[in-house]
Structures are given as structure tokens and as C-alpha cells.
């Protein structure tokens, strides 16, 4: 039977996972000292020198894509003004902050704001643009493919073309499409295709509809993005998706949102009344298995290069599952090209120089073999 695009179910995004990410507690971890035994040096260390970093959380806005966003009223992304972007500006940013290469991706809203055929065409344009870019600058750029979600059939076709023909380094998926989160069974055929290719999948948060979140005078990128990452990751574990497709490597944005902080609460779900109501068709999670699944995610440092965030991540996974991310150009305000040339000075409060080299270079390159071959010869 052919795959068909789905229509969003009436269930709201909030009801879908309830309060899985409702705790505003990530910053409280700073007081606990978790992870300090394996990470925190006695004093701030100096970062490695040179242009060595590999950035796995960096965005691009190809000219026609950015024009389309503005034409359709997307003047902000997650509450941040839609930025300018060009390859020349990206390279200047990288040179300033010692970044050798960026794996580029399309941020929220992806291409899902466009109707079917237009979304398919825009995804192909963005992916072809990215492939041409890293062929013109092989040691400076890689790319994750954007897919015309929530059209599952078209997304499978585009993923196969982008990975097998264009040679992109992975795929970027938003946490939810039309209120349907990753982990939902409707995405199963896509996950099968990605698992067959042992794909690296960058999970990026999506803006939440205004009628599904509190009316607070705060932009989504400040807090809501982290909660949405948590909802998606939790549902992927709860529905067994991360168990069924172990060859997909998922990178969670912004140090995993609140996943590390809530890891214990998530893992004891089966021991509560929720466990008694667990659907027979889904694998019942155990504490140990959930902890294992959480440890298998990759966590980027974008907007999260602080002792609190890194200690939280180190409490749930090993250092080799942490990868560098800048979130540029959306982080341009916090990473101006003036003054300190270290894009993540807070990492030196947690890692020594050798450990930073691991997080900022070796770990990313191990996940992206095509880019590794390009930058290392």
C-alpha cells in the first residue's frame, strides 16, 4: 500500500506528551555537582589552539529559501529575527572562532510551511544547494538533508536521494510536524529507511503553536525549544523507536533540552500508574533500558556550553557522546566577531584541553565519515 501524507490528529501537542518536559529545572543541576568527578578540572583550562572545531549545529538559509520564509510571513524563527546568511559570512564566522567545518542544516520550520509539491521542490533545492556548497568548499562544509515532512513517502524519497546520490552527511528532523512528534508510528517507514542507511539524524526543536503553550512574554528559543526536544526524545523512547532502529544515531539539540535533568523521572515511568496502563503493543520500558537509551543519544553544546548543562549531560552519557555546536547564525548576538575567539569558553570550566579537542573535533568527525575524509585528507 502506498504511503500517504497524514493529517494531524486532533490531539494537541501538549496532550501528546503532557508534561514530559514541564520542569524548569535544568539550571538547578549546577548546585548538585553531578558529573564533576569525571569532568570538572580544578581550574579553568585553556582551549586548544588553531582552527580545529567541527560544528554539528549550524544553520544555513539558502537565498530562495530565506526569500520564501519571508514571503510566507516567517519574519522570526522561534522568536529570533530571521537572520541573513551567506557562505562568505559563514566562513568568516568559522575563521574567527577556530571552526574548520560546519555541518549545515535548515532550522525550524523546515519546509513544512509549504504545501505538498512546493515543500518537495524546496527540500530538493536546499539539499542540492548544500551539496554544491560542500563540493565547492570541501574542507569547510558538510550538510544534513531537510525532508518534506510530514509527507512520509516524499521524505523517504528525498532522504534516499540526499544520502545516496548527493552524499549529504545525515538528515535533520524537527521534533514535531503539525503537532505529531517523532516517535509516532506514522513516521515508522521513514525510520526504517534511515536505519537501513545507518543515518546520523540531527533532531532540532520546532516552534509550538500559540494555542498549545502558555502565554509568556518569552521567545520559544529561550525555553520552549528545550522542552520540545525533551518531548520528542521521550516519545521516541516510550514507543520503542530508539530500540527498533539502533543504527540511527540521534543528535539532540542544546544538550538534549531537559532530557538529562529529567532522566530519572522518565526512567521510572513504568513503575508508576503509567506502567499499569502501558499499551500491550509497545515494549514496556525498564529503568535500566531507558537509561541505556538516554546514554545513546548524542548531545550538542549549542547555547549550552556551561558547567550546569555539561555536568547534567555527563551524568547520563559518556563524553564521547557530546559534540560541538554553535547554532550560528541564530547565535550571532551571543557570538559577535569581536573580543574572545573562543565560541564556548564555558567548556573550559568542565573539560581540559584534550577533552575539549575530543568534544569539539574528534567526536563530531567520528559520526560523519564523509566530512572526516574531506577535512583530514
Amino acid at each position: 500500500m502506498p504511503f500517504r501524507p497524514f493529517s494531524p490528529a486532533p490531539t494537541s501537542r501538549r496532550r501528546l506528551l503532557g508534561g514530559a518536559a514541564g520542569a524548569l529545572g535544568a539550571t538547578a543541576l549546577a548546585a548538585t555537582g553531578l558529573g564533576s568527578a569525571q569532568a570538572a578540572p580544578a581550574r579553568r583550562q585553556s582551549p586548544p589552539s588553531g582552527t580545529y572545531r567541527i560544528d554539528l549545529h549550524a544553520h544555513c538559509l539558502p537565498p530562495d529559501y530565506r526569500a520564501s520564509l519571508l514571503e510566507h510571513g516567517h519574519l522570526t524563527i522561534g522568536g529570533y529575527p530571521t537572520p541573513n546568511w551567506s557562505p562568505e559570512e559563514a566562513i568568516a564566522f568559522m575563521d574567527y572562532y577556530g571552526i574548520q567545518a560546519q555541518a549545515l542544516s535548515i532550522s525550524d520550520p523546515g519546509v513544512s510551511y509549504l504545501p505538498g509539491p512546493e515543500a518537495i521542490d524546496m527540500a530538493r533545492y536546499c539539499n542540492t544547494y548544500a551539496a554544491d556548497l560542500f563540493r565547492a568548499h570541501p574542507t569547510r562544509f558538510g550538510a544534513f538533508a531537510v525532508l518534506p515532512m510530514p509527507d512520509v513517502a516524499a521524505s523517504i524519497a528525498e532522504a534516499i536521494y540526499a544520502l545516496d546520490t548527493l552524499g549529504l552527511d545525515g538528515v535533520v528532523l524537527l521534533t514535531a510536524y503539525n503537532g505529531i512528534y517523532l516517535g509516532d508510528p506514522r513516521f515508522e517507514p521513514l525510520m526504517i529507511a534511515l536505519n537501513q542507511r545507518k543515518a546520523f539524524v540531527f533532531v532540532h526543536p520546532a516552534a509550538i503553536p500559540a494555542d498549545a503553550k502558555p502565554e509568556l512574554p518569552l521567545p520559544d528559543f529561550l525555553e520552549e525549544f528545550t522542552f520540545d526536544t525533551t518531548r520528542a526524545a521521550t516519545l521516541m523512547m516510550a514507543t520503542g523507536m530508539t530500540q527498533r532502529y539502533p543504527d540511527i544515531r540521534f543528535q539532540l539539540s542544546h544538550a538534549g533540552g531537559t532530557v538529562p535533568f529529567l532522566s530519572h523521572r522518565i526512567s521510572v515511568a513504568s513503575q508508576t500508574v503509567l506502567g499499569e496502563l502501558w499499551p500491550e503493543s509497545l515494549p514496556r520500558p525498564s529503568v535500566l533500558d531507558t537509561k541505556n537509551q538516554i546514554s545513546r543519544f548524542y548531545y550538542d553544546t549549542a547555547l549550552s556550553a556551561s558547567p550546569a548543562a555539561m555536568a547534567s549531560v555527563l551524568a547520563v552519557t559518556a563524553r564521547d557522546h557530546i559534540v560541538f555546536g554553535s547554532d550560528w547564525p541564530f547565535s550571532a548576538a551571543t557570538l559577535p566577531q569581536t573580543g574572545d575567539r573562543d565560541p564556548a569558553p564555558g567548556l573550559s570550566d568542565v573539560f581540559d584541553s584534550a577533552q575539549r579537542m575530543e568534544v569539539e573535533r574528534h567526536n563530531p568527525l567520528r559520526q560523519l565519515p564523509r566530512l572526516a575524509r574531506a577535512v583530514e585528507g
Side-chain angles (χ1 to χ4, degrees):
M1 184 175 69
F3 302 124
R4 295 183 176 86
F6 63 79
S7 299
T11 304
S12 71
R13 295 172 70 144
R14 180 172 302 178
R15 289 180 60 195
L16 192 60
L17 272 183
L24 286 168
T27 56
L29 193 61
T32 70
L34 283 175
S36 58
Q38 55 181 312
R43 58 184 176 82
R44 170 170 283 198
Q45 305 291 307
S46 298
S49 59
T51 301
Y52 69 92
R53 297 179 175 92
I54 306 296
D55 188 351
L56 296 198
H57 188 148
H59 300 298
C60 65
L61 293 90
D64 291 356
Y65 174 69
R66 185 177 186 277
S68 175
L69 285 175
L70 298 179
E71 179 183 345
H72 286 80
H74 290 276
L75 305 180
T76 64
I77 305 296
Y80 187 92
T82 302
N84 291 309
W85 179 90
S86 71
E88 295 75 20
E89 290 173 303
I91 290 172
F93 169 80
M94 287 191 279
D95 287 346
Y96 190 90
Y97 282 110
I99 298 170
Q100 182 173 1
Q102 291 182 328
L104 300 172
S105 60
I106 299 296
S107 183
D108 179 57
V111 297
S112 61
Y113 66 95
L114 294 169
E118 293 182 37
I120 293 171
D121 290 345
M122 184 59 75
R124 178 61 57 88
Y125 161 74
C126 290
N127 294 334
T128 302
Y129 181 96
D132 290 342
L133 186 62
F134 69 64
R135 290 191 175 93
H137 304 278
T139 64
R140 305 312 303 266
F141 295 110
F144 299 134
V146 63
L147 305 181
M149 293 286 275
D151 185 333
V152 174
S155 293
I156 292 172
E158 186 61 27
I160 292 172
Y161 179 78
L163 296 174
D164 296 359
T165 301
L166 294 179
L168 269 62
D169 298 287
V171 167
V172 58
L173 292 176
L174 298 181
T175 47
Y177 296 91
N178 293 342
I180 307 299
Y181 279 87
L182 298 183
D184 189 279
R186 281 166 279 197
F187 297 133
E188 201 85 355
L190 174 62
M191 296 301 164
I192 292 172
L194 295 175
N195 192 68
Q196 289 172 341
R197 285 160 178 77
K198 296 180 171 58
F200 190 85
V201 175
F202 174 32
V203 178
H204 193 278
I208 301 175
D211 62 356
K213 65 179 179 180
E215 293 185 9
L216 300 175
L218 300 170
D220 280 357
F221 78 85
L222 194 63
E223 295 178 335
E224 296 298 334
F225 269 12
T226 66
F227 303 152
D228 224 46
T229 296
T230 306
R231 295 182 185 106
T234 302
L235 191 62
M236 286 193 292
M237 291 185 287
T239 60
M241 182 171 283
T242 49
Q243 292 172 302
R244 288 192 298 280
Y245 306 112
D247 289 332
I248 300 177
R249 292 153 295 143
F250 291 102
Q251 172 187 331
L252 301 182
S253 297
H254 312 121
T258 61
V259 168
F261 177 77
L262 295 176
S263 59
H264 178 70
R265 292 175 68 107
I266 295 169
S267 69
V268 300
S270 62
Q271 299 176 345
T272 67
V273 67
L274 180 61
E276 300 172 9
L277 303 174
W278 207 265
E280 293 184 3
S281 59
L282 297 179
R284 186 184 298 269
S286 67
V287 172
L288 289 178
D289 183 67
T290 303
K291 289 182 177 180
N292 175 60
Q293 291 182 67
I294 290 173
S295 73
R296 292 182 65 249
F297 287 122
Y298 289 83
Y299 299 82
D300 72 50
T301 67
L303 299 178
S304 305
S306 70
M310 291 298 100
S312 184
V313 172
L314 286 167
V316 299
T317 194
R319 191 172 57 246
D320 63 6
H321 276 57
I322 303 175
V323 294
F324 173 70
S326 71
D327 214 345
W328 195 85
F330 293 93
S331 60
T334 58
L335 289 174
Q337 293 175 50
T338 59
D340 192 345
R341 290 177 178 264
D342 185 348
L347 294 181
S348 287
D349 291 328
V350 182
F351 305 117
D352 62 27
S353 181
Q355 292 167 343
R356 284 198 62 170
M357 180 66 78
E358 180 183 359
V359 166
E360 295 177 283
R361 182 178 180 85
H362 301 318
N363 293 347
L365 288 180
R366 274 195 292 268
Q367 302 313 314
L368 307 185
R370 187 212 61 81
L371 184 60
R373 289 191 298 270
V375 302
E376 295 186 331

